[in-house]
Amino acid sequence: MAVVTLKGNEFETAGELPAAGTQAPQFELVKTDLSTATLADYAGKKVVLNIFPSVDTPTCATSVRKFNEAASSLENTVVVCISADLPFAAARFCGAEGLDNVETGSTFRSSFGDDYGVVFTTGPLVGLLSRSVVVLNESGEVLYTEQVAETADEPNYEAVLEALK
């Protein structure tokens, strides 16, 4: 279990992020067309897993926008924005914002939050995901992780981009 804060109040998550140098856990996420995305779908590409509570909060929305901008200049890299939001909410947000350099994945039918250790187990956000980033290489090995200590803060974008080099 990890402990993070939300506006200074401590809350626990289900576990720890996968360690750098290990193979990323397999996952299934629901895409905006209700099909399933798996880790195997991204084989041969670098992957940024941008994990957050809900796209309908300011910090989460900002992270999606910033990763969308960064992704436009990244070669052989896909950014997957992951939350417990329904796929319809993710499609609505990305459509309204004109964001087409990121993919979205919903955890509403998966164990992703438990498998990656990021689902909140205490506090008002129980069942949602702790703001985190996991960067994978082309073979699914973890290059970098960050679980943001204060949920209202943004991830370290520079560190993510550096890990992709």
Side-chain angles (χ1 to χ4, degrees), residues 14-155:
E16 303 286 336
L17 287 168
T22 64
Q23 281 299 120
Q26 295 297 318
F27 61 75
E28 289 188 1
L29 300 167
V30 181
K31 297 170 26 173
T32 58
D33 65 0
L34 301 179
S35 66
T36 301
T38 67
L39 180 58
D41 294 336
Y42 303 109
K45 293 185 177 190
K46 294 179 183 175
V47 180
V48 175
L49 302 176
N50 175 32
I51 306 162
F52 51 86
S54 174
V55 75
D56 288 322
T57 63
T59 305
C60 300
T62 297
S63 75
V64 174
R65 288 184 197 106
K66 286 188 176 181
F67 276 121
N68 181 75
E69 183 179 329
S72 66
S73 65
L74 300 173
E75 291 186 30
N76 196 39
T77 303
V78 62
V79 176
V80 184
C81 297
I82 302 169
S83 71
D85 291 317
L86 291 177
F88 315 114
R92 172 191 43 79
F93 176 80
C94 289
E97 297 276 331
L99 306 178
D100 56 7
N101 295 318
V102 295
E103 296 184 17
T104 60
S106 173
T107 63
F108 89 102
R109 290 192 305 223
S110 83
S111 60
F112 178 92
D114 287 316
D115 298 341
Y116 279 71
V118 294
V119 68
F120 283 108
T121 58
T122 62
L125 300 181
V126 166
L128 298 179
L129 306 179
S130 171
R131 185 175 323 288
S132 305
V133 179
V134 178
V135 178
L136 310 175
N137 68 14
E138 296 88 342
S139 61
E141 181 180 313
V142 177
L143 298 175
Y144 170 84
T145 65
E146 175 190 10
Q147 187 167 42
V148 179
E150 168 53 52
T151 303
D153 292 344
E154 294 177 54

